[in-house]
Amino acid sequence: MGCGKTLTAIATVGAGYQMGMVKKVLIVAPTSVCAVWPKEFNEYADFKYTVKVLLGDKKSRIKALDDLDKFPFEALKVAVINYESTWREDIFDRLLAYDADLIIADESQRIKTHDAAQSKAMHQLGDKARYKLILSGTPVQNEAVDIFSQYRFLDPTIFGMNFYAFRGRYCVMGGFNRKQIVQYRDLDALIKKEHSIAYRVTKEEALDLPEQTFENRYITLSKKERNIYDKLRRDSFAELDGGGTITATTVLTKLLRLQQFTGGFLVEDDAARPQLVSRGKLDALADILQDYVVEGKKKLVIFARFIPEVMEIIKLANDMVGKHGMKTVAIYGDIKKELRGDIVQQFQTDPATMVFVGQIDTAGTGITLTAADTCVYYSENFNYATYEQSLSRIHRIGQRHPCTYIHLVAEKTVDELILKSLAAKEDLAKTIVDDWRQFF
């Protein structure tokens, strides 16, 4: 993880395009990663390309793919879609008709279950493509049989087409009705075959990795969500522009409401508490929990600004990692100070405690969370000093690995402007009065 799979893939795609071997590409990725690919192409691709992320309902996805197929200019055509959509009625047939030269399975562990609908769809799509590439930081985590379905897509000549023949070759069955894998045999041969077409890099080997890497995961608002956000933004602008004295407090109050909405919560004027109206960021966080914690067995720190967000994140984490025997701990305003030291100690020392959820104003300073080297920002504070302090929870003495920070960002919203200000080391509370219009 974090060793440059996306950059390597884009370089490979570009080489194939320039050699005349690849004209159409299909990238299949977890939902939260789909929007990252166009931005990575924009940053790294030194060749002509056009890219479409297939979003929305079935009709919208098919139209986007049709528009890409009909693109009239000489350029590499790149379609990006999430795994869950590949096998859907009509979409699968249209993906087959797109006839990609190269298919990339990003976070390929998502097709490790050989008889899942999305795995079967990927196998069929892969059988038609001329070239295939799988990317994963955790291709095999729970069981060695996880590799079969991914290699069935990638190159069936390595392990064959039949899962049960593969299992019979490498697994010893036992337990109830002899349906459980009780041990493996000839793993050396399996690993040798796996590595025959694989390239692996670890963070320990990548000596030129920066100490801190920052990544943005982009969330696209639905049409309904966009309409609500735009109305909130217009109403806020009208109220602020309607006369009277502009103060930092009045502007920040309006920004808070916009930021709460990008986190999924709408605060109605007469409501007692915010209502959860969107799961965009929660779904993106679920992808990260699956990849890093459930599959990768890596500890994870998650920061959020608002209590309703913290509560939903705790619930999500408990639901996802709890069923695997893993635990989640949290520190937020209501947690008594005398209990916080034990909570941090549990996260640092207990192998089963895999997720730490913190309210950024409460847990962003003064504690050590170096048991994790990855931190997710569900939402940020407007104060740069607080944000900078929170970065140091995992990046401090005792940390032996490069640190990765993942920001969840709702596209074309106040989220992007907040991150821009923090990157410029600005404290919004001090600069907002003069520049408030840019945020609305």
Side-chain angles (χ1 to χ4, degrees):
M1 296 178 178
C3 289
K5 295 187 295 294
T6 304
L7 173 57
T8 305
I10 291 174
T12 302
V13 167
Y17 172 66
Q18 291 176 336
M19 294 166 67
M21 300 164 67
V22 176
K23 295 182 179 180
K24 291 182 182 179
V25 177
L26 173 64
I27 299 172
V28 186
T31 302
S32 68
V33 180
C34 286
V36 173
W37 276 95
K39 299 178 188 301
E40 298 288 279
F41 266 90
N42 182 59
E43 183 169 355
Y44 296 124
D46 192 20
F47 51 87
K48 293 181 180 179
Y49 70 90
T50 179
V51 59
K52 288 272 189 181
V53 180
L54 311 186
L55 297 172
D57 57 21
K58 179 172 67 176
K59 183 178 179 181
S60 300
R61 292 172 191 261
I62 292 174
K63 182 181 184 304
L65 191 56
D66 288 341
D67 290 344
L68 179 66
D69 227 355
K70 296 172 184 174
F71 187 74
F73 305 106
E74 180 62 34
L76 178 74
K77 298 176 180 180
V78 183
V80 187
I81 193 169
N82 62 323
Y83 282 106
E84 293 81 3
S85 298
T86 54
W87 58 274
R88 303 294 180 182
E89 185 180 5
D90 296 334
I91 293 178
F92 172 74
D93 291 334
R94 186 61 191 86
L95 291 174
L96 271 178
Y98 176 64
D99 194 20
D101 299 301
L102 168 65
I103 300 179
I104 298 175
D106 189 11
E107 303 294 354
S108 62
Q109 69 273 11
R110 295 301 176 90
I111 57 169
K112 69 181 182 181
T113 305
H114 73 100
D115 54 356
Q118 61 197 34
S119 300
K120 291 179 177 179
M122 289 294 288
H123 296 162
Q124 292 183 64
L125 291 168
D127 287 345
K128 190 176 181 183
R130 270 68 70 198
Y131 306 101
K132 286 154 284 188
L133 183 64
I134 66 175
L135 310 174
S136 177
T138 55
V140 180
Q141 201 63 53
N142 299 320
E143 300 284 356
V145 291
D146 291 353
I147 204 68
F148 171 80
S149 181
Q150 297 171 70
Y151 271 60
R152 162 67 185 86
F153 162 78
L154 183 65
D155 184 351
T157 67
I158 303 298
F159 292 118
M161 305 273 285
N162 188 297
F163 170 76
Y164 298 101
F166 171 85
R167 192 178 69 175
R169 168 72 175 82
Y170 295 105
C171 304
V172 177
M173 307 304 291
F176 182 69
N177 287 338
R178 298 185 62 80
K179 289 186 177 181
Q180 282 78 48
I181 299 171
V182 293
Q183 66 183 72
Y184 289 95
R185 54 173 166 246
D186 207 4
L187 279 180
D188 288 343
L190 185 152
I191 292 169
K192 186 175 180 180
K193 282 189 171 185
E194 176 194 352
H195 285 191
S196 68
I197 58 168
Y199 184 72
R200 180 171 184 255
V201 174
T202 65
K203 283 189 174 180
E204 288 72 24
E205 294 167 333
L207 300 179
D208 58 344
L209 275 181
E211 287 190 355
Q212 294 174 293
T213 300
F214 295 85
E215 172 188 339
N216 294 336
R217 295 279 182 101
Y218 291 91
I219 291 86
T220 302
L221 300 183
S222 68
K223 185 176 180 180
K224 180 180 178 182
E225 291 164 353
R226 173 59 61 187
N227 289 338
I228 295 173
Y229 180 86
D230 286 344
K231 184 179 186 305
L232 289 172
R233 179 180 54 79
R234 288 193 303 268
D235 290 348
S236 297
F237 186 95
E239 290 179 31
L240 290 168
D241 203 39
T245 303
I246 301 291
T247 67
T249 301
T250 58
V251 179
L252 291 172
T253 299
K254 302 298 183 185
L255 280 184
L256 279 174
R257 196 174 187 192
L258 291 178
Q259 192 184 22
Q260 286 172 323
F261 183 77
T262 65
F265 291 86
L266 182 61
V267 185
E268 299 285 2
D269 291 333
D270 56 350
R273 59 173 61 91
Q275 300 298 309
L276 181 64
V277 296
S278 169
R279 296 192 64 87
K281 283 194 178 182
L282 289 169
D283 290 343
L285 182 59
D287 280 343
I288 295 167
L289 285 166
Q290 180 68 29
D291 292 336
Y292 279 79
V293 183
V294 177
E295 302 287 351
K297 302 296 188 290
K298 287 169 60 69
K299 293 200 177 198
L300 187 69
V301 173
I302 305 168
F303 281 125
R305 182 173 190 182
F306 305 109
I307 288 291
E309 295 174 342
V310 171
M311 295 298 105
E312 284 296 326
I313 292 167
I314 294 170
K315 182 175 181 296
L316 174 67
N318 282 333
D319 289 344
M320 289 194 65
V321 309
K323 61 185 177 184
H324 297 280
M326 304 173 185
K327 290 178 280 189
T328 298
V329 293
I331 293 178
Y332 48 93
D334 292 342
I335 300 296
K336 293 180 179 179
K337 290 183 179 180
E338 57 265 29
L339 300 178
R340 295 176 187 177
D342 288 341
I343 292 171
V344 171
Q345 183 70 6
Q346 179 182 337
F347 180 74
Q348 287 286 89
T349 60
D350 177 20
T353 302
M354 298 295 288
V355 180
F356 176 92
V357 183
Q359 186 180 14
I360 193 167
D361 283 324
T362 305
T365 60
I367 61 176
T368 296
L369 301 172
T370 50
D373 59 29
T374 304
C375 177
V376 178
Y377 285 88
Y378 189 94
S379 55
E380 294 85 19
N381 187 291
F382 294 158
N383 184 289
Y384 173 74
T386 302
Y387 172 70
E388 184 183 37
Q389 280 284 334
S390 69
L391 297 175
S392 299
R393 296 315 96 211
I394 64 171
H395 187 255
R396 59 197 296 109
I397 294 173
Q399 180 58 263
R400 294 191 295 270
H401 302 285
C403 294
T404 300
Y405 302 92
I406 303 173
H407 293 90
L408 302 184
V409 184
E411 284 189 300
K412 299 177 182 177
T413 70
V414 67
D415 284 358
E416 294 184 326
L417 297 168
I418 292 169
L419 269 187
K420 182 179 177 182
S421 295
L422 292 175
K425 301 184 179 182
E426 293 178 352
D427 184 343
L428 283 185
K430 295 178 181 177
T431 63
I432 195 72
V433 174
D434 293 332
D435 298 330
W436 68 268
R437 284 178 173 81
Q438 69 169 309
F439 292 91
F440 300 95

